[in-house]
Amino acid sequence: MTTSAVPRVHIATDHAGMELSAHLVSHLSAKGYDVVDHGPKVYDALDDYPSFCINAALAVVADQEAGTHALGIVLGGSGNGEQIAANKVKGVRAALAWNLSTAQLAREHNDANVVAVGGRQHRVDEATAIIEAFLTEPFSNDQRHVRRIGKIATYERTGEVIE
């Protein structure tokens, strides 16, 4: 697997997160991240975010399966629907982060590969700090976390619940 300290970042939003998304694309690109914007490209107050978020999540999984270090960001008003949509993609562990601690723990304990953030819940600087905390926090590889993630993956693949 090809890994680097700086992952490729797939980002998607709905209309409520477009301003934050544009900021993050610019900010993260300037920091050296390879940012792939999955849209939307134009503001539409009636847009349907699932396709944007699912496409970003699919790209994260495809990159990871190809050996590329990749993470995803999905944004909305609350981040809830976007997290739900991303989590429908096999292989995605999307976490809703609302502060630095939840962002870091999502990576450290759950090896989350997509973060959801509510654009209407935070100032731009707060949301940026949450995203950066997620992107820079490594997975602990602690055996108990590896075991738990494995149980989730087994259920996802087979439908079997392992005690």
Side-chain angles (χ1 to χ4, degrees):
M1 177 179 199
T2 304
T3 59
S4 66
V6 180
R8 177 176 294 152
V9 177
H10 294 277
I11 190 168
T13 189
D14 74 350
H15 62 278
M18 285 192 73
E19 183 179 319
L20 177 57
S21 180
H23 164 76
L24 289 169
V25 168
S26 174
H27 176 79
L28 295 173
S29 294
K31 290 190 134 223
Y33 289 89
D34 175 14
V35 182
V36 181
D37 187 353
H38 292 270
K41 302 297 183 204
V42 295
Y43 179 86
D44 177 358
L46 301 176
D47 67 7
D48 291 328
Y49 61 83
S51 60
F52 305 122
C53 296
I54 290 168
N55 283 331
L58 286 167
V60 168
V61 172
D63 273 353
Q64 289 179 336
E65 288 176 350
T68 299
H69 181 34
L71 294 170
I73 303 166
V74 293
L75 307 167
S78 69
N80 284 310
E82 295 75 20
Q83 176 201 27
I84 291 167
N87 271 321
K88 297 302 179 185
V89 174
K90 185 178 178 181
V92 166
R93 288 178 306 284
L96 180 65
W98 58 90
N99 60 28
L100 296 177
S101 179
T102 57
Q104 292 164 325
L105 288 170
R107 292 283 306 131
E108 182 185 352
H109 289 188
N110 306 111
D111 199 17
N113 51 7
V114 174
V115 65
V117 174
R120 291 181 176 156
Q121 310 304 311
H122 308 281
R123 294 186 323 261
V124 170
D125 61 323
E126 292 172 333
T128 302
I130 291 168
I131 297 293
E132 287 182 345
F134 177 84
L135 294 176
T136 58
E137 185 70 32
F139 177 52
S140 70
N141 280 304
D142 183 283
Q143 199 51 42
R144 66 189 167 124
H145 300 308
V146 171
R147 182 181 67 248
R148 293 167 184 164
I149 293 165
K151 288 181 176 186
I152 294 167
T154 296
Y155 176 78
E156 184 177 52
R157 276 191 326 274
T158 68
E160 178 186 359
V161 177
I162 299 174
E163 296 294 323

